[in-house]
Amino acid sequence: MSEHDTSFDRPEKRLDRTPRVTVTRHLAKAVEQRMSELFDARLNTDDNPMDRDALVAAMQDCDVLVPTVTDRIDAEMIEAAGSDLGLIANFGAGTEHIDLKAAAKKGIIVTNTPGVFTDDTADLTMAGIIGVPRRIREGVELIRSGKWTGWAPTAMLGRKLGGKTLGIVGMGRIGQAVAHRARAFGLEVAYHNRKRLPEAIERMFGARYVETLDELVAEADILTLHCPADAENRHMIDARRLGLMKEGASLINTARGDLVDYEALVAALESGQLAGAGLDVYPDEPHVDERLIRHPNVMTLPHIGSATREGREESGIKVIANIRMWVDGHRPPDQVLSGF
């Protein structure tokens, strides 16, 4: 059961027919094959993102919708859904793109796939934590441009990791996985979270709690974000907080683009306040600000934190499990908070 599950205690009735399941994006072959065997599956094999009208039409003619992070499902769309839509089985852990309150009001259960991408996202985060201080992107460009003139004692000097402070914003599954990896590189781990972790877990990860986000931002040599992009957290890293960061510090964001004021980030990078950034998410995907792309020490990645074959297949398997439990009249294992 999802750690966020507090809603829908009422028993469900078993669906007495094969469920009509609309999948909004192309999933792994094995997942789509299994869905086709079990359900009346309407697949999106050409992988063109569905626009608002197409999503509403799908929601009016299915029992289960399987959306992804690219699908914004607001209250108006949910209100327009057909009476048969009883489950939104999200492919992925985040659900901020779905209006959970509107879904609960209409009696629609929402599930997700928590924990599947924890290690994958933590691994990619470490690529930024290592790569930005060591100027990896700049070094690759130097070779590819043919401008490298050879080794020199003062060439391409970056910053070492050992002994530096890694500030982790959000110590859930992914934040803890990053902390575990960071210890192997000699990083001092500090974190800020809505709730402090138990002392035993802090000892396990060698992590030190910092009371306020401002304090953490100010002391981190590398700041990495691992929290949800709800209304409270939008632009949590803004011009003021970027101004609190150490000169020459780095920012890593593999969580959600809305956590950062990217205009302020560009300004901090161009002024030299920040040495660099590792970014896998953006506020207006797939658009990426050209100034970030041009900056020599910004690793701009195309939202690949969860992009492993194993992870994507496991997420699909979780979606199928949630659907089957709902069809059988049981509470899905990964039901999320209703929003009430």
Side-chain angles (χ1 to χ4, degrees):
M1 185 182 299
S2 169
E3 64 183 19
H4 302 297
D5 184 14
T6 61
S7 61
F8 285 101
D9 292 326
R10 61 181 173 79
E12 297 296 325
K13 293 182 179 179
R14 179 184 177 91
L15 193 68
D16 58 1
R17 54 181 164 77
T18 302
R20 297 163 297 161
V21 177
T22 296
V23 185
T24 67
R25 298 297 298 268
H26 180 39
L27 304 182
K29 182 179 179 180
V31 173
E32 291 189 338
Q33 181 176 340
R34 187 59 175 153
M35 283 185 167
S36 295
E37 293 169 353
L38 294 170
F39 316 130
D40 176 7
R42 294 94 181 266
L43 306 174
N44 184 358
T45 56
D46 61 8
D47 204 33
N48 290 323
M50 299 172 70
D51 62 20
R52 183 184 180 86
D53 290 342
L55 282 169
V56 170
M59 294 165 70
Q60 292 174 339
D61 188 37
C62 68
D63 302 294
V64 180
L65 183 74
V66 181
T68 72
V69 69
T70 62
D71 304 304
R72 298 289 176 180
I73 302 173
D74 59 32
E76 185 178 343
M77 296 167 70
I78 289 171
E79 182 59 32
S83 58
D84 288 336
L85 180 63
L87 175 65
I88 298 176
N90 188 62
F91 179 90
T95 55
E96 59 268 22
H97 54 293
I98 303 168
D99 191 317
L100 298 179
K101 289 185 178 180
K105 184 177 180 181
K106 193 158 183 175
I108 299 171
I109 291 176
V110 178
T111 61
N112 65 346
T113 60
V116 173
F117 301 125
T118 297
D119 288 332
D120 300 332
T121 305
D123 289 345
L124 192 77
T125 300
M126 288 305 302
I129 289 171
I130 299 165
V132 174
R134 294 304 305 271
R135 300 169 64 183
I136 297 297
R137 182 257 173 94
E138 191 174 353
V140 169
E141 292 296 328
L142 190 62
I143 292 288
R144 290 183 173 179
S145 68
K147 296 179 181 178
W148 186 48
T149 59
W151 181 90
T154 57
M156 286 294 299
L157 298 181
R159 296 171 184 263
K160 69 183 299 179
L161 295 181
K164 297 296 193 300
T165 298
L166 173 68
I168 300 178
V169 183
M171 268 296 254
R173 292 185 181 93
I174 296 173
Q176 291 179 27
V178 170
H180 174 68
R181 288 156 172 76
R183 292 188 68 185
F185 289 86
L187 285 156
E188 301 292 332
V189 176
Y191 78 96
H192 175 72
N193 206 44
R194 287 177 178 173
K195 293 183 179 179
R196 183 171 181 173
L197 298 177
E199 185 178 344
I201 296 179
E202 290 183 342
R203 288 199 305 269
M204 181 188 307
F205 296 112
R208 172 173 52 85
Y209 178 67
V210 177
E211 189 73 31
T212 70
L213 179 56
D214 282 0
E215 290 177 274
L216 182 68
V217 166
E219 71 170 271
D221 297 292
I222 305 166
L223 187 73
T224 182
L225 310 181
H226 302 288
C227 48
D230 54 24
E232 181 182 347
N233 287 342
R234 185 177 185 275
H235 287 184
M236 67 188 306
I237 304 301
D238 55 11
R240 184 185 69 81
R241 285 198 169 117
L242 288 166
L244 295 176
M245 294 183 71
K246 295 178 180 178
E247 185 174 346
S250 304
L251 175 69
I252 312 299
N253 186 13
T254 59
R256 289 290 186 263
D258 286 343
L259 295 174
V260 179
D261 180 340
Y262 271 55
E263 191 66 33
L265 174 59
V266 169
L269 289 163
E270 291 183 341
S271 71
Q273 172 72 23
L274 293 188
L279 309 172
D280 188 44
V281 289
Y282 311 90
D284 187 26
E285 296 180 10
H287 171 73
V288 181
D289 193 306
E290 281 291 333
R291 294 170 295 177
L292 294 173
I293 295 172
R294 290 196 305 266
H295 192 283
N297 199 26
V298 175
M299 296 175 63
T300 47
L301 300 172
H303 203 151
I304 57 172
S306 64
T308 67
R309 295 179 185 275
E310 298 89 344
R312 295 281 170 86
E313 286 194 7
E314 187 177 347
S315 185
I317 291 168
K318 270 185 170 282
V319 168
I320 291 170
N322 283 316
I323 296 172
R324 294 188 73 179
M325 289 292 283
W326 176 78
V327 169
D328 287 342
H330 302 300
R331 179 194 293 266
D334 300 308
Q335 183 175 336
V336 300
L337 180 68
S338 70
F340 288 140

